Amino acid sequence: MLMKRALAVSVVAAVVGTSAAGAASAATPAKSAASALQVQEATFAVNGTAVPFRVVRSNGETLVSIRDLGTAVGAQISVHNGVTTVELNGHKVEVKLNAKQLVADGTTVSLAQAVRSVNGASYIALRPLVAGLGGTVAVYGGQINVSTVKLLEGAENPRFAGPSSLIVSVTGDDGRTDYLVDAKSGKYEQLLHSTNASDLVVAPNGAKAAYTDSDGAVYVLDLATKVSSKISSDNNIKPELVWSADSSSIFFLQGDKGSVIAKLDPASGTITKLLDDKVDYKANLSVSPDGTKFIYTVTTLGKVTSDATNVDEDNVSIDFSANQQQIFSFDSTVAEGKPVQLTTSTDDKLFVASDDGVKAYYVSVPSEDQPAKALVVGQDQKTSTVYGDSDVIETVLAGGKLYVLASVNDANNGIYEIDLASGSKKQLYTVSAEVSSIAASGSQVAIVKNDQLFVNDGGVWKPITK
């Protein structure tokens, strides 16, 4: 056991010091019949998947099998007149046995030592070969990571579609394109391109997403087949869509002012009105797991205080101090039941969400120069602080947990997890103050830093977009 550990440490040290700062796991070595060099096995993460490689240690440097690496990344490998050519994603690397250089896309790159042959296989330093193929080598979670994936650029609005992938959007002059990004490798594929679609709202089962067009029609996109199906042609504007907990129904606000709460059956296209109280400007809809209780906000607008009736005239006065956003709840099972106003305060209320349709969690931003706090309010209209240790930037509700991004100091932000059942709180990560947003799914957390998306891998933030 001690010998095996010592062997692993020697392989790690060699890779760290030369071709790929990092760690490798070594297996039982075997003596080469054709050389004094020892063939060992090391495991690297290649585009998010653990892959075993044959490696040898020569002159204090660890070299990797060219064929093993080429196969792992899906490259084309050919040998002609003693030159091994490796081609991937438009890049070409040419390697010659016993040469202390390689040629990458026509440019000569020097090597610390010559390409070696052991047991009929050619070995080379990892980093220059990967770099020549347009990839990168880094260490995450104590393991060497090889990435040859071309990362998506300019992605925004990340949201998880299950624990292993995220949906992101890229907006251009010709509309918005939505992509599905693998959370481990950064591989991405296009889901939808549109000039008039609303944001994709992922179902809890992670298999589909819903959206509307500018006419109010509702579509469901199958994330596996990338095929969209129109499930309703109703032409009422639907500013918000919310999936039921079992992913079988879609709740939404109806009308350009969000006056109505309604339910859509995707199978039949049937729409059922659940609340039509003629109150406009509803938003931030949350639905209980059983689909009967609702939390939402209502925004009241400024009041015209002059006698003029034409608001287009310059002499009209409007009192904007009447602008307020309040949180309401509604229980559709109560006969003749009416919405209940949960809050009356004048603070700004952001990131309003509920996991049970009864309590509402939100970020309170005082009008004074005071830090924002994460609060909860219940049916008794009493509020309490969920997180108030430092200025809250954002909250995300996922899987019975409230994830809080808060400012710690000028250099750092903290990410905290609050268990809603027990009220226990723990800090998950300390991140740069440049982190502006988070996404969460279960225990998986993603962050946005300088418009780049990262996921945590073994305590290290790994980029999956650029």
Side-chain angles (χ1 to χ4, degrees):
M1 182 66 182
L2 292 177
M3 291 181 62
K4 186 172 182 180
R5 174 181 289 183
L7 177 59
V9 171
S10 68
V11 172
V12 171
V15 177
V16 168
T18 56
S19 62
S25 59
T28 304
K31 277 283 186 178
S32 169
S35 169
L37 297 179
Q38 217 176 35
V39 177
Q40 303 170 3
E41 183 178 284
T43 300
F44 305 148
V46 179
N47 296 328
T49 302
V51 179
F53 286 87
R54 290 171 294 169
V55 299
V56 297
R57 187 182 182 193
S58 174
N59 299 322
E61 182 178 25
T62 299
L63 312 180
V64 64
S65 162
I66 295 175
R67 183 161 296 278
D68 287 357
L69 178 65
T71 301
V73 300
Q76 291 183 324
I77 305 174
S78 61
V79 181
H80 184 68
N81 291 334
V83 176
T84 299
T85 302
V86 186
E87 297 179 87
L88 179 69
N89 298 332
H91 297 282
K92 182 168 71 172
V93 175
E94 296 171 296
V95 177
K96 193 171 184 178
L97 192 63
N98 298 322
K100 291 188 68 174
Q101 62 186 32
L102 59 77
V103 179
D105 295 333
T107 300
T108 300
V109 178
S110 297
L111 302 174
Q113 65 175 304
V115 178
R116 304 296 299 270
S117 175
V118 182
N119 292 347
S122 298
Y123 291 80
I124 192 173
L126 177 65
R127 189 182 294 276
L129 177 56
V130 172
L133 296 173
T136 59
V137 178
V139 177
Y140 303 114
Q143 185 177 48
I144 292 174
N145 277 250
V146 175
S147 176
T148 56
V149 175
K150 184 179 180 181
L151 299 181
L152 183 65
E153 187 172 4
E156 56 191 13
N157 190 21
R159 55 271 196 209
F160 275 94
S164 60
S165 59
L166 296 98
I167 292 178
V168 299
S169 303
V170 176
T171 304
D173 295 336
D174 60 343
R176 190 193 76 233
T177 305
D178 298 303
Y179 297 90
L180 190 67
V181 180
D182 185 271
K184 285 188 176 182
S185 67
K187 291 180 182 178
Y188 63 90
E189 49 189 336
Q190 181 174 323
L191 291 175
L192 179 72
H193 177 77
S194 176
T195 58
N196 66 348
S198 66
D199 288 340
L200 297 181
V201 180
V202 183
N205 63 11
K208 50 192 174 182
Y211 63 96
T212 66
D213 63 19
S214 56
D215 295 325
V218 182
Y219 300 79
V220 170
L221 171 66
D222 187 301
L223 299 183
T225 65
K226 318 300 183 294
V227 174
S228 290
S229 302
K230 182 187 287 189
I231 61 172
S232 173
S233 299
D234 175 73
N235 60 5
N236 284 289
I237 301 301
K238 301 172 181 65
E240 287 189 30
L241 302 178
V242 179
W243 283 96
S244 62
D246 62 0
S247 303
S248 66
S249 303
I250 299 174
F251 297 87
F252 61 92
L253 297 176
Q254 190 178 65
D256 57 353
K257 295 181 180 179
S259 306
V260 175
I261 297 177
K263 177 182 179 181
L264 169 63
D265 180 355
S268 65
T270 302
I271 292 177
T272 305
K273 288 186 179 181
L274 302 175
L275 175 63
D276 187 4
D277 59 356
K278 313 305 179 186
V279 175
D280 296 335
Y281 304 113
K282 294 181 177 70
N284 299 301
L285 182 65
S286 292
V287 184
S288 64
D290 64 1
T292 64
K293 300 178 183 66
F294 305 88
I295 292 288
Y296 57 93
T297 61
V298 172
T299 301
T300 57
L301 303 181
K303 295 180 179 179
V304 176
T305 58
S306 70
D307 293 334
T309 57
N310 184 0
V311 295
D312 293 325
E313 295 291 336
D314 291 338
N315 62 352
V316 172
S317 297
I318 299 177
D319 178 13
F320 288 102
S321 65
N323 281 27
Q324 288 186 12
Q325 185 182 59
Q326 303 299 347
I327 301 174
F328 286 75
S329 70
F330 174 66
D331 187 342
S332 64
T333 65
V334 177
E336 304 299 325
K338 295 182 179 180
V340 176
Q341 184 171 340
L342 303 183
T343 60
T344 57
S345 58
T346 59
D347 55 337
D348 289 334
K349 301 173 182 67
L350 306 176
F351 308 109
V352 182
S354 174
D355 68 333
D356 60 5
V358 177
K359 301 181 296 296
Y361 297 86
Y362 65 101
V363 175
S364 171
V365 182
S367 55
E368 301 86 5
D369 187 18
Q370 297 178 3
K373 298 181 179 181
L375 304 181
V376 60
V377 62
Q379 295 297 301
D380 58 2
Q381 291 90 46
K382 294 181 179 179
T383 61
S384 58
T385 301
V386 178
Y387 178 88
D389 296 346
S390 54
D391 194 28
V392 175
I393 300 169
E394 183 183 17
T395 59
V396 175
L397 187 61
K401 306 287 180 63
L402 187 70
Y403 296 89
V404 179
L405 175 66
S407 174
V408 175
N409 51 47
D410 290 341
N412 297 307
N413 291 334
I415 299 177
Y416 304 86
E417 178 189 87
I418 300 171
D419 188 292
L420 301 186
S422 65
S424 62
K425 177 185 68 177
K426 63 180 179 180
Q427 182 171 353
L428 297 179
Y429 310 106
T430 297
V431 296
S432 166
E434 295 175 324
V435 172
S436 58
S437 183
I438 59 176
S441 174
S443 60
Q444 180 72 290
V445 176
I447 63 173
V448 176
K449 176 184 175 182
N450 296 329
D451 298 323
Q452 190 175 9
L453 183 62
F454 297 77
V455 295
N456 196 273
D457 187 350
V460 179
W461 293 101
K462 180 172 69 174
I464 59 172
T465 69
K466 64 177 182 178

